[in-house]
Amino acid sequence: MSKAEAREGKKEGNASAEKILQAAKELFAERGFAAVSVRDISERAGVNKALLFYYFDTKAGLLHRILEQYYQAHAAALAPPASEGSTRVRMHALVTSYLDFMEDHHPYLQIVQHELQSNTEGLSMLRSGMRLLFTRVEELLGPITSDGHLHVRQFYISFAGLVITYFNYAPVLDVIWEGDPLSASNRRERRQHLHWMVDRILDGLQTCNPDQDIG
Amino acid sequence: MSKAEAREGKKEGNASAEKILQAAKELFAERGFAAVSVRDISERAGVNKALLFYYFDTKAGLLHRILEQYYQAHAAALAPPASEGSTRVRMHALVTSYLDFMEDHHPYLQIVQHELQSNTEGLSMLRSGMRLLFTRVEELLGPITSDGHLHVRQFYISFAGLVITYFNYAPVLDVIWEGDPLSASNRRERRQHLHWMVDRILDGLQTCNPDQDIG
DNA sequence: GTCTATAGCGAGATAGAC
DNA sequence: GTCTATCTCGCTATAGAC
């Protein structure tokens, strides 16, 4: 256990540390880890530059702490197993909770995307987060999918892509969309489209499994 | 017109310049623009560091040149309008050519993803590339889509997401997939899945438009 | 806990010989 | 065109006063 971790354990919730975390989340999401300097973070947080090293040891340690928080939040958001209702109802609920999380934790996706390109150790945490979400999808769709191109892993990455890409490309979608793609009405429209997509995919799986009642 | 651009016009295809471009493409894709130094690039290219500035003026100019090349290649790959065959046949052809391009230009997606997070001027080029692809989808699906959550722009970003996400998340998919997600057999399986998805979505649109024959 | 001051290094970029 | 040498700057990180 490093000195900084020990301090965090005792001083969790310290005002300055929280301000640093918040500023770093924003900046890492805006520009990516490597393009942000410690000076940038401390200035936005309104604290002294040296405090960052006092609380987090290194700049990389700060990123590590942020990712840890997000992964925990993501795991918690996926916790409810949604064990009642038809496969169709539960699948819609899963997509809804995934969308909710993305809307509530906007910097998360951007930081993850950045990590995906830089082959750092942060990827191992991302892997375990992925396994958790995959397990949820597997519980739901495992019984009605088969092998090969209709394997449940294919549906998993497809659903994830459908949800994620809209937020990921939001900065350049204003050319095609009217107004801000992240406005309330546009986000609602996107949600409706995704639920329509879920229904069409489940319709296709129902045809493949006439004996099972998907809902 | 800068001095470096004038030189490129005259010396297009120069061996050292090409080696620099190739090395930079790889490194930007691996680590992102900000995390790569000019020294890294020159060392991988096997040329002197100062040559990079001789050919491209600045490090940012080098990125600009790489993006320009990729966007041109992307536009060229999407050029064939695919004017014959049913809507269904043409939609499958479009997805196939999109997949072909992604497989042949692997660093492209990674660099674009990085640009998406750093709000640089490179986004304007990405926007025009998007408009081009959107126009293709609009030609095909415009007549059979409606307003709101079944607007053609929703299908555009959904199809893009289905194609892109698999490559984007490839570095961490090895936990769920057996072996390398980018192996020939796994890429083929993904392709089959995507074409199945296209068919299910078109089936859904056919139901919405019983008067039109989608194919 | 928070600050000032600064060490030490590697970055991007330039000058000029060849 | 390609090289060596070098400039300047901003970066991460530390030392130590308060």
Side-chain angles (χ1 to χ4, degrees):
Chain A
M1 190 188 237
S2 78
K3 275 178 273 176
E5 281 174 305
R7 266 192 298 276
E8 284 161 31
K10 282 197 282 188
K11 288 291 175 183
E12 193 76 18
N14 170 286
S16 294
E18 286 304 316
K19 279 192 278 186
I20 291 170
L21 279 171
Q22 184 55 37
K25 277 180 196 172
E26 295 171 13
L27 285 165
F28 288 162
E30 285 171 22
R31 303 182 214 162
F33 176 76
V36 171
S37 76
V38 172
R39 172 179 303 240
D40 294 332
I41 299 169
S42 63
E43 277 179 2
R44 180 169 300 197
V47 302
N48 190 275
K49 191 162 70 78
L51 268 188
L52 195 147
F53 297 98
Y54 174 74
Y55 283 114
F56 304 99
D57 273 357
T58 64
K59 184 187 163 194
L62 175 55
L63 174 65
H64 194 263
R65 187 82 190 90
I66 290 174
L67 285 175
E68 220 171 50
Q69 284 192 357
Y70 274 127
Y71 289 141
Q72 279 176 12
H74 196 175
L78 294 173
S83 58
E84 53 188 38
S86 66
T87 300
R88 193 178 292 267
V89 167
R90 287 153 71 188
M91 198 65 216
H92 281 290
L94 183 61
V95 168
T96 295
S97 68
Y98 198 20
L99 278 164
D100 287 343
F101 183 79
M102 285 298 163
E103 291 188 5
D104 291 345
H105 301 80
H106 201 217
Y108 172 61
L109 178 60
Q110 294 169 275
I111 295 176
V112 163
Q113 287 294 332
H114 183 262
E115 283 297 294
L116 273 173
Q117 272 110 56
S118 46
N119 293 322
T120 58
E121 7 71 46
L123 286 189
S124 59
M125 270 195 281
L126 178 52
R127 279 196 180 87
S128 57
M130 285 216 338
R131 282 207 68 84
L132 187 63
L133 183 51
F134 176 67
T135 305
R136 289 278 175 280
V137 177
E138 205 178 19
E139 287 166 9
L140 286 174
L141 300 186
I144 54 174
T145 51
S146 58
D147 283 342
H149 74 280
L150 292 184
H151 194 284
V152 62
R153 68 184 167 221
Q154 297 289 348
F155 290 98
Y156 163 72
I157 194 69
S158 289
F159 283 121
L162 287 169
V163 172
I164 285 170
T165 308
Y166 183 75
F167 295 99
N168 203 202
Y169 277 75
V172 289
L173 287 186
D174 50 0
V175 206
I176 294 170
W177 260 252
E178 291 112 44
D180 179 17
L182 297 180
S183 72
S185 67
N186 276 329
R187 281 190 278 114
R188 193 170 57 244
E189 186 184 300
R190 181 67 191 163
R191 270 180 192 255
Q192 288 175 346
H193 171 80
L194 288 179
H195 285 294
W196 184 90
M197 295 281 282
V198 168
D199 276 326
R200 297 296 78 75
I201 293 163
L202 291 178
D203 290 349
L205 283 171
Q206 177 74 77
T207 307
C208 296
N209 299 271
D211 48 325
Q212 300 241 6
D213 185 22
I214 294 173
Chain B
M1 189 188 238
S2 78
K3 276 178 273 181
E5 281 174 304
R7 265 194 297 277
E8 283 162 31
K10 283 198 284 189
K11 288 292 178 185
E12 193 75 19
N14 170 286
S16 293
E18 287 303 316
K19 277 191 280 187
I20 292 170
L21 279 171
Q22 184 54 38
K25 276 180 197 173
E26 296 171 12
L27 285 166
F28 288 162
E30 284 171 22
R31 303 181 216 162
F33 177 76
V36 171
S37 76
V38 172
R39 172 179 302 242
D40 294 333
I41 299 169
S42 63
E43 278 179 0
R44 180 170 301 196
V47 302
N48 190 275
K49 188 163 72 83
L51 267 188
L52 196 146
F53 297 97
Y54 174 74
Y55 282 115
F56 303 99
D57 273 358
T58 64
K59 184 188 165 194
L62 175 56
L63 173 65
H64 195 263
R65 185 86 191 89
I66 289 174
L67 284 176
E68 220 171 50
Q69 284 192 357
Y70 274 128
Y71 289 142
Q72 280 176 13
H74 197 176
L78 295 174
S83 58
E84 53 188 37
S86 65
T87 300
R88 193 177 291 265
V89 168
R90 286 153 73 190
M91 198 64 217
H92 281 290
L94 183 62
V95 167
T96 295
S97 69
Y98 197 22
L99 279 164
D100 287 342
F101 183 79
M102 284 299 163
E103 290 189 6
D104 291 345
H105 302 80
H106 201 218
Y108 173 61
L109 178 60
Q110 295 170 275
I111 295 176
V112 162
Q113 288 292 333
H114 179 261
E115 283 296 293
L116 272 173
Q117 271 112 58
S118 47
N119 294 323
T120 59
E121 5 75 44
L123 287 188
S124 58
M125 272 195 280
L126 178 53
R127 280 196 180 86
S128 56
M130 284 216 338
R131 282 206 68 84
L132 187 64
L133 183 52
F134 176 66
T135 305
R136 289 277 175 281
V137 177
E138 204 176 18
E139 286 166 10
L140 287 174
L141 300 187
I144 53 173
T145 50
S146 57
D147 282 341
H149 76 280
L150 292 184
H151 194 285
V152 60
R153 68 184 166 221
Q154 297 289 349
F155 290 98
Y156 163 71
I157 194 68
S158 289
F159 282 122
L162 287 170
V163 171
I164 285 170
T165 307
Y166 183 74
F167 295 100
N168 202 201
Y169 277 74
V172 289
L173 287 185
D174 52 359
V175 205
I176 295 170
W177 260 253
E178 292 112 44
D180 179 17
L182 297 179
S183 72
S185 68
N186 277 330
R187 283 190 277 113
R188 192 170 58 244
E189 185 183 299
R190 182 66 191 164
R191 271 180 192 254
Q192 288 176 347
H193 172 80
L194 288 179
H195 285 294
W196 184 88
M197 295 282 281
V198 168
D199 277 326
R200 296 296 78 74
I201 293 163
L202 291 177
D203 290 350
L205 283 171
Q206 178 74 76
T207 307
C208 297
N209 299 268
D211 47 326
Q212 299 238 9
D213 185 22
I214 294 174

